[in-house]
Amino acid sequence: MDKRRLGLKIIENFTVEAINETIICIECVFRERYTDFVVHEIDLEGRVVALTATEAPPCCEEEEEEEEEATEGVEGLIAALAGEDAGTAAALREVLVDGPPVTLCAASKDARRLQHEKVATLGLCSETSEGRVRVFRSTKKEQRSRRNRWPRGKPKHVRFALYKENADTMECASLLSRFLRCKKVGYAGTKDKRAVTTQWATVSKVLPSEILRRGATARPLMRVGNFSFVELPLELGSLGGNRFEVALRRATTDEATVRAACEAVTRCGFGNFFGLQRFGSACSNAQIGEALLSGDWRACVDLILAPRDGETAPAAEAKAAYARGDLETARKAIPRTLRVEKQVLDKLAKAPADFSGAFHSAVPKNLRLMYLHAHQSLAWNTLASERINRHGVAVVPGDLVLANSTGLTADLTSAAGVRVVTDPKSYAHWDVVLPLPGHAITYPAFEGAAEALARAAVRDDYARAATPEASLAGAYRPLFVKPSNLRWRLVPYNSKEEQLIKTDLDKLRDVDEPPSKKTCRVEPSQSALILEFDLPPSSYATSCLREITKSSMSKGFHAARTLEAAAAAAAAAQDESPPPAASSPEKKMAAAAAAAVQNDEQPN
């Protein structure tokens, strides 16, 4: 076993940067474009999930007929119903997402009959009243219809590949649930927002043709496909891992350095730290989790509505109004895209003193659990940082290991049996686990553990939390993991606009290979390091990348590097030519870099 020691420094009080003193730092820019970070889920059978087909499988005569009727597409049906009336077309789109009823005019009974047929194809309900067709949504009737036409002998759940670009997993699931009018869209894990990701999702008793038709309008750059019928819905954690393909741009390195770094991480692994996105802006998710545990609902609301760096002017205005107690101004100013914040303010406007009601009604359960898990993750990172800083990869007395080790790769529940190490020679560093705090776990006793637990703000009252969902049992997480199937290559490129990784949607559209896989027509000006690797569930690619590059993966660090590069490019252009016009590429690059700082990934 390699006995190297990792030097560590605390970054923003909740994560660590691992620096292998024997390896040279690889300077690069991480996630300059969201297409530089591509993620494919690996299911429990070890298959990599990819979007390769977008057709609904024919499973019964009824569904085949429905597919033929749906060939016009949603927009075609809306256009046929609304004619040239843009207002009616907009109103019909609103009905599709639970808007108010719409009344259509018709010149004859036959015209009304055609309107009823097209409305039914859209999945809406209609009725004739005083010679007009009233269009509306009826969830109960729709669910009854689905039950009546479900294919005989088919399992009641449909699984499909969910492909998304630059979008949050929970937001996409919520939108699909609304558009498909089902209670829940199941998925195994949340994926990065600022990325291109593909994963399995499941819904109950919604036909594939209906998922295709309605899902097509839910969000741009979101696609569904690869349908199948399954017996059970997906639950969080039911995945085998994730496959990552990452482009690190403006890499200043050589093949020997990259090879040494990749061999080291394959041999020794990396600290299994939770990534920065787990904690939100300025660690707000963990702070909300701590307030939730204490039942301080006003603090929860205050933290949700606290100012954030890089937010839009309307959002900043609304939050400033809330801070000075002007709830009505805050409610009107908050952008509709900030759904949780808007719902919190709407509730407070009706009952200004009911912070508990505002928090629990506006914040869905999965988001409340995310806040609690952020608190646990912060405590785990702090404990792991102290453990590695003091003892490196050596197994020491007082460490925790599984009582029955079976090749641990993923997090385990509090029910997993652990033992305290007394004979370090009997174990490898892969066996060591650390606890996510809770009332049903064992804490380690290595030298420095007590101080680390105190620094991590571990509580002693998890069983007496303010609400039942906040009563955390705890879990165990491997201290070290290593990537599998790690591959790398250095590729030339000339412009930030060049796409370096081919996505599933590119492959479906038969887009040409990225420039990185073709011979450059001009002498390349920059190099990118392309890394491909698999990680177990709940392990973060940013932690692995930090270990390989010995460079921070925080968005602030890389946004600053992007701005520096834009400024340097603009200065170089100014030195070589007359003052550029306002629309010069350099100014556009600087503006894009500034926007990237503001619009970088949110917690997911």
Side-chain angles (χ1 to χ4, degrees):
M1 180 177 59
D2 194 321
K3 297 292 186 179
R4 71 188 176 112
R5 181 180 178 84
L6 300 180
L8 297 146
K9 66 177 180 181
I10 301 299
I11 295 179
E12 299 172 343
N13 297 321
F14 61 86
T15 190
V16 300
E17 182 175 355
I19 303 172
N20 183 337
E21 297 171 356
T22 63
I23 299 293
I24 300 172
C25 174
I26 299 173
E27 292 187 3
C28 58
V29 174
F30 173 56
R31 212 153 19 188
E32 191 168 31
R33 293 165 54 101
Y34 72 78
T35 53
D36 290 344
F37 196 83
V38 177
V39 186
H40 289 91
E41 186 172 271
I42 301 172
D43 64 21
L44 291 173
E45 286 74 41
R47 295 171 298 195
V48 177
V49 182
L51 183 70
T52 59
T54 55
E55 301 82 22
C59 60
C60 61
E61 293 181 2
E62 291 87 351
E63 186 179 357
E64 288 177 359
E65 292 172 4
E66 185 177 3
E67 283 192 73
E68 292 173 3
E69 290 175 343
T71 53
E72 288 182 75
V74 173
E75 288 301 319
L77 290 167
I78 290 175
L81 288 166
E84 297 182 357
D85 188 343
T88 300
L92 285 168
R93 293 188 189 96
E94 287 293 319
V95 177
L96 282 170
V97 289
D98 209 17
V102 177
T103 300
L104 304 175
C105 297
S108 65
K109 185 174 181 180
D110 286 342
R112 288 195 296 273
R113 178 179 60 79
L114 290 174
Q115 286 178 336
H116 284 298
E117 290 176 357
K118 293 184 184 299
V119 168
T121 303
L122 276 173
L124 299 173
C125 301
S126 60
E127 60 185 9
T128 301
S129 176
E130 298 180 354
R132 297 184 176 188
V133 174
R134 180 174 176 269
V135 181
F136 59 97
R137 173 183 166 184
S138 174
T139 303
K140 289 184 179 179
K141 182 176 180 180
E142 193 173 319
Q143 290 174 347
R144 244 188 345 263
S145 173
R146 284 176 178 171
R147 286 195 298 268
N148 292 338
R149 62 191 173 93
W150 191 252
R152 291 187 181 90
K154 292 288 185 182
K156 69 176 184 177
H157 299 285
V158 173
R159 186 182 69 177
F160 57 94
L162 171 61
Y163 170 96
K164 62 181 181 66
E165 295 188 16
N166 203 26
D168 178 77
T169 303
M170 287 191 287
E171 180 187 352
C172 289
S174 176
L175 281 171
L176 277 174
S177 179
R178 285 171 55 206
F179 274 72
L180 299 178
R181 297 161 198 176
C182 59
K183 290 183 178 180
K184 179 183 179 182
V185 174
Y187 53 89
T190 56
K191 310 302 179 193
D192 296 73
K193 176 183 178 181
R194 189 168 167 76
V196 180
T197 71
T198 309
Q199 64 190 111
W200 287 131
T202 56
V203 291
S204 176
K205 288 200 169 181
V206 184
L207 289 170
S209 55
E210 193 171 348
I211 299 171
L212 272 173
R213 188 172 68 251
R214 297 186 186 278
T217 61
R219 184 186 177 92
L221 294 177
M222 184 176 78
R223 299 289 186 272
V224 294
N226 295 82
F227 298 94
S228 62
F229 293 87
V230 294
E231 294 290 347
L232 297 173
L234 281 171
E235 300 291 345
L236 285 173
S238 52
L239 73 161
N242 293 287
R243 173 161 295 176
F244 298 91
E245 190 170 4
V246 185
L248 302 175
R249 293 177 184 257
R250 299 207 297 275
T252 56
T253 187
D254 54 49
E255 291 191 356
T257 300
V258 177
R259 184 178 295 107
C262 290
E263 287 176 353
V265 78
T266 301
R267 182 175 65 252
C268 304
F270 59 92
N272 195 20
F273 294 101
F274 290 96
L276 296 174
Q277 61 267 44
R278 184 81 164 191
F279 307 105
S281 176
C283 206
S284 58
N285 290 354
Q287 293 172 339
I288 296 171
E290 291 170 13
L292 200 164
L293 284 165
S294 301
D296 190 344
W297 310 121
R298 175 158 193 163
C300 290
V301 171
D302 286 348
L303 287 163
I304 288 173
L305 296 173
R308 301 281 188 272
D309 290 338
E311 63 190 356
T312 63
E317 177 189 347
K319 292 179 178 181
Y322 169 77
R324 62 176 182 265
D326 189 350
L327 292 174
E328 189 60 27
T329 299
R331 186 181 69 83
K332 291 178 179 178
I334 197 76
R336 294 177 63 88
T337 52
L338 300 178
R339 290 187 178 88
V340 171
E341 290 88 338
K342 180 170 177 54
Q343 290 180 36
V344 167
L345 287 169
D346 287 342
K347 297 292 183 182
L348 284 179
K350 297 176 182 177
D354 187 11
F355 291 98
S356 175
F359 178 76
H360 285 93
S361 61
V363 181
K365 183 178 180 181
N366 59 352
L367 189 53
R368 297 197 299 270
L369 291 175
M370 187 186 78
Y371 294 144
L372 292 168
H373 294 159
H375 159 77
Q376 291 179 301
S377 303
L378 172 57
W380 193 95
N381 271 15
T382 306
L383 185 60
S385 174
E386 185 66 25
R387 163 61 180 77
I388 298 175
N389 196 33
R390 281 177 175 264
H391 305 293
V393 298
V395 182
V396 298
D399 274 337
L400 298 179
V401 295
L402 292 180
N404 296 300
S405 178
T406 56
L408 175 65
T409 57
D411 294 2
L412 295 170
T413 67
S414 58
V418 296
R419 63 163 59 101
V420 178
V421 171
T422 56
D423 180 14
K425 294 180 180 179
S426 300
Y427 303 97
H429 65 295
W430 309 114
D431 300 321
V432 178
V433 298
L434 287 179
L436 289 142
H439 62 78
I441 51 90
T442 300
Y443 288 102
F446 58 80
E447 181 184 346
E451 297 92 325
L453 291 168
R455 278 186 52 220
V458 172
R459 305 160 64 103
D460 58 4
D461 60 349
Y462 289 107
R464 302 187 300 278
T467 60
E469 71 184 15
S471 179
L472 301 174
Y476 297 99
R477 180 177 177 85
L479 179 57
F480 296 101
V481 294
K482 63 179 177 179
S484 57
N485 301 317
L486 175 59
R487 297 182 294 175
W488 61 272
R489 63 185 186 274
L490 286 168
V491 299
Y493 73 101
N494 287 295
S495 166
K496 174 187 173 182
E497 281 65 42
E498 291 182 27
Q499 186 164 320
L500 302 179
I501 301 173
K502 197 170 182 178
T503 67
D504 287 353
L505 199 55
D506 291 335
K507 295 172 184 176
L508 280 172
R509 293 171 173 171
D510 200 22
V511 173
D512 288 341
E513 287 291 339
S516 63
K517 293 190 176 180
K518 298 191 293 185
T519 302
C520 290
R521 296 180 181 177
V522 296
E523 187 66 25
S525 59
Q526 301 173 90
S527 291
L529 172 58
I530 310 291
L531 290 158
E532 299 177 50
F533 54 88
D534 299 347
L535 290 179
S538 191
S539 290
Y540 284 73
T542 48
S543 296
C544 181
L545 294 170
R546 186 175 57 231
E547 179 68 22
I548 291 172
T549 64
K550 312 304 176 294
S551 177
S552 171
M553 289 294 121
S554 72
K555 65 180 182 180
F557 177 85
H558 288 276
R561 289 209 66 197
T562 298
L563 287 171
E564 289 171 5
Q574 190 171 14
D575 290 341
E576 296 175 5
S577 62
S583 60
S584 69
E586 289 76 21
K587 288 195 174 183
K588 288 182 179 179
M589 183 177 178
V597 175
Q598 291 188 346
N599 299 320
D600 209 341
E601 71 269 25
Q602 299 297 312
N604 52 45

